[in-house]
Amino acid sequence: MAKTTDDASYVEKKDGLKTLSGTNENPGYFEHRGNRKNLLKLINFILLAAGSLLILSPLWWMISTSLKTMAEVMSFPPTFFPESWNWANYIRTWEAAPFTRYTINTLTITTLVVIGNVISNSFIAYGFAKIPFRGKNILFAIVLATMMIPGFVTLIPQYVLFAKLNWVNTYFPLVVPAFFGSAFNIFLLRQFYMTIPNELIEAAKMEGANHFYIWWKIGLPLTKPAIATVAIFSFNGAWNDFLGPLLYLNDENLYTLQIGLQVFKGQMNTQWNYLMAGSLLVLLPVILLFFFFQKYFIQGINLQSGGK
């Protein structure tokens, strides 16, 4: 027995129950929806693939140029793939300038900056998130307000300060500021510490733990994604820093890779294959860092995963 309407029909089953039967139960309708979803997925894949190729094309051009001879680099029309893969360009580039010394200098600065940023920012963020004190919100607002100050505004006062401290031509101006925190990193880590249940902190206090112990043994392990994000940002900023070393370093033995690459550019006199090889060598650690730690980086952007 069935009762039909304009839009749907009520079908009586054997057990006496009635179910609504309409056009949506047509198998062809679901097949059509499935085909449309597959078509949208295919279009999205094509667009993402085209966008990825467009973004990665400059990187491939750098790699391709670094493996060419100078005659092939200057040839017209340009070739997208090198005729012969000259891996010796990298060896000649490394030997043409003291890149080993530049790498050691850069690694020294970068390691200290990463350590300073992780320790100082996480400790300050824990205080703003879990330690109650008068004026905390006002002080936190002042810290965030410093993000609105352009770096070039404080550039001259900082240089004057470091010059009076006799820190020019040393690594101190490049390393010491990292141990005093930065507003963005403090904000990022504070959001993660806010997700840690207060009951966990109170339970640790009842066991006799102080805030320093709680931060070290509980806070840091639970905020590994955010810590990894801060470390990646710090590494990338210190590794690619050009202006800081340019201002404060005068001795060539103290040069970083960014300054050394600029000096190498002047020495090579538009030898583009060697310049691209040197640029790729400088860029490679940043690419590898993000490739191996992208999981933590993505988790660190999610501000709701701190207490999980």
Side-chain angles (χ1 to χ4, degrees):
M1 179 178 180
K3 180 182 178 181
T4 60
T5 62
D6 293 339
D7 298 328
S9 62
Y10 292 88
V11 180
E12 185 176 353
K13 296 185 177 180
K14 294 181 180 180
D15 54 4
L17 299 177
K18 294 182 179 181
T19 59
L20 181 63
S21 176
T23 56
N24 288 350
E25 290 187 356
N26 184 2
Y29 171 80
F30 292 105
E31 183 179 354
H32 178 70
R33 282 189 67 183
N35 292 336
R36 187 171 63 178
K37 287 184 177 180
N38 292 333
L39 179 61
L40 290 176
K41 288 181 180 179
L42 179 62
I43 294 175
N44 290 335
F45 176 80
I46 293 174
L47 291 176
L48 290 174
S52 300
L53 291 175
L54 183 64
I55 293 173
L56 293 176
S57 57
L59 178 62
W60 169 250
W61 189 259
M62 179 190 299
I63 297 173
S64 176
T65 304
S66 68
L67 295 171
K68 295 177 181 179
T69 61
M70 192 58 193
E72 187 178 358
V73 171
M74 303 303 295
S75 64
F76 186 84
T79 57
F80 200 70
F81 294 92
E83 295 180 358
S84 60
W85 300 70
N86 296 295
W87 298 102
N89 288 350
Y90 291 95
I91 300 177
R92 296 191 187 100
T93 300
W94 194 267
E95 294 176 347
F99 278 104
T100 302
R101 185 192 309 150
Y102 299 155
T103 303
I104 294 174
N105 296 341
T106 307
L107 282 175
T108 301
I109 296 173
T110 302
T111 302
L112 293 175
V113 168
V114 170
I115 294 174
N117 273 322
V118 168
I119 294 177
S120 63
N121 290 293
S122 60
F123 191 66
I124 297 170
Y126 174 83
F128 278 122
K130 295 301 180 183
I131 300 178
F133 58 89
R134 182 177 298 178
K136 179 173 69 173
N137 293 333
I138 297 176
L139 184 59
F140 183 66
I142 295 174
V143 172
L144 292 183
T146 61
M147 297 175 61
M148 307 301 173
I149 303 175
F152 291 101
V153 174
T154 60
L155 193 63
I156 295 177
Q158 281 184 345
Y159 185 86
V160 173
L161 174 63
F162 293 142
K164 291 184 177 181
L165 292 174
N166 294 322
W167 283 3
V168 177
N169 204 31
T170 67
Y171 291 152
F172 289 115
L174 306 176
V175 173
V176 172
F179 287 85
F180 289 87
S182 65
F184 175 78
N185 292 332
I186 292 172
F187 169 76
L188 177 66
L189 291 168
R190 176 184 175 273
Q191 297 306 109
F192 265 75
Y193 283 123
M194 293 290 288
T195 62
I196 298 177
N198 292 328
E199 293 78 6
L200 185 62
I201 306 296
E202 296 299 328
K205 288 182 180 179
M206 293 178 63
E207 295 294 330
N210 55 24
H211 281 294
F212 183 84
Y213 183 89
I214 296 172
W215 164 71
W216 184 258
K217 292 294 185 178
I218 299 177
L220 288 180
L222 290 178
T223 55
K224 284 182 180 179
I227 295 296
T229 302
V230 171
I232 292 173
F233 282 149
S234 302
F235 182 93
N236 187 54
W239 187 271
N240 294 322
D241 186 18
F242 176 78
L243 184 60
L246 180 65
L247 285 175
Y248 297 111
L249 301 181
N250 301 322
D251 188 356
E252 187 175 356
N253 293 324
L254 300 177
Y255 281 176
T256 61
L257 279 170
Q258 300 299 329
I259 303 299
L261 188 62
Q262 187 67 21
V263 174
F264 178 72
K265 177 182 177 181
Q267 294 176 349
M268 285 297 100
N269 193 19
T270 65
Q271 295 290 322
W272 296 110
N273 51 349
Y274 294 150
L275 288 177
M276 292 299 105
S279 300
L280 186 62
L281 290 173
V282 174
L283 182 63
L284 187 61
V286 178
I287 297 176
L288 294 177
L289 180 73
F290 181 79
F291 179 79
F292 287 108
F293 293 95
Q294 59 179 321
K295 173 183 176 182
Y296 296 100
F297 179 78
I298 295 173
Q299 289 178 356
I301 299 300
N302 180 12
L303 299 180
Q304 299 299 324
S305 63
K308 295 183 180 180

